Amino acid sequence: MKTCLIVIDAQASFRQRPYWDERQAAPYLAAQNALIAGCVAAGTPIVRIFHVDEPADASNPFAVESGHIRPIEGLADFEATATFTKHRHSALVNSGLDIWLTQNGIGRLIVSGIRTEQCCETTTRHASDLGWEVDYVTDATLTFDMTQPDGQPLAAADIKARTATVLHGRFATVCSVAQALERASAKASA
């Protein structure tokens, strides 16, 4: 089964947000870069996804006009097999990604990127529902602390644990970087 790594929204836009936390980003970037390096070494295609939204104004870090729709600083340089722009949470909504995956015979996705519970989780659920096998590499996703509706804090680590729990065995196989790379090479040689 042909595998593809999807790097979702690993873009400079997030460094412009008030919740950006370099301490949370550092381990993510290390894991994301290890996953990229492993896929490059194995010849696994890597797809880059950028998120763009309104308003189309330089003050919006997710607008093209801002200049922040580019790879995030600290991300390993890689040549993407394909690049898509999305305007919704799922990378599969009106981006052309689904068509590209089908045309290229991709049966399995390795999902990584920013944000764990938002675009990465949504893309994972959507891909699973459309029939793709998905490996979700929690360590190669990034999110930030949030505030719950009742005002209580919710730590990024708890968000990641919740996402892994609800995805595993239902929508994806939750795995480490090493496990995802091993599964990709095992599937490729099968």
Side-chain angles (χ1 to χ4, degrees):
M1 178 183 305
K2 195 169 178 184
T3 299
C4 176
L5 170 62
I6 309 290
V7 180
I8 300 172
D9 301 349
Q11 63 194 67
S13 309
F14 283 101
R15 286 189 183 270
Q16 312 312 307
R17 292 296 200 203
Y19 50 73
W20 177 261
D21 183 337
E22 196 62 44
R23 291 168 303 159
Q24 291 174 335
Y28 154 71
L29 285 166
Q32 182 72 80
N33 289 341
L35 189 55
I36 290 167
C39 286
V40 168
T44 301
I46 304 174
V47 171
R48 185 187 308 270
I49 307 294
F50 287 121
H51 185 87
V52 174
D53 67 22
E54 300 292 330
D57 181 273
S59 65
N60 173 9
F62 288 91
V64 172
E65 293 78 3
S66 72
H68 298 299
I69 308 300
R70 57 182 160 66
I72 194 164
E73 182 182 316
L75 185 69
D77 188 31
F78 66 92
E79 187 167 332
T81 308
T83 300
F84 297 91
T85 299
K86 67 179 185 60
H87 304 280
R88 298 284 186 251
H89 294 106
S90 172
L92 293 161
V93 174
N94 298 325
S95 67
L97 174 60
D98 56 338
I99 296 165
W100 184 90
L101 293 169
T102 301
Q103 288 175 340
N104 286 277
I106 305 294
R108 183 170 161 274
L109 309 179
I110 302 171
V111 172
S112 65
I114 307 174
R115 291 184 62 166
T116 304
E117 79 293 348
Q118 196 164 311
C119 297
C120 296
E121 181 177 336
T122 303
T123 299
T124 297
R125 288 172 180 265
H126 193 172
S128 174
D129 283 351
L130 291 175
W132 278 284
E133 184 177 326
V134 182
D135 279 359
Y136 189 88
V137 185
T138 307
D139 292 343
T141 70
L142 174 64
T143 196
F144 309 95
D145 296 342
M146 297 174 73
T147 302
Q148 298 180 75
D150 66 2
Q152 295 297 312
L154 184 59
D158 293 335
I159 296 168
K160 289 179 90 168
R162 173 247 166 235
T163 297
T165 300
V166 299
L167 291 179
H168 189 66
R170 295 182 210 164
F171 299 96
T173 299
V174 173
C175 51
S176 67
V177 170
Q179 290 167 329
L181 293 172
E182 182 180 320
R183 286 170 50 83
S185 44
K187 296 280 184 170
S189 62

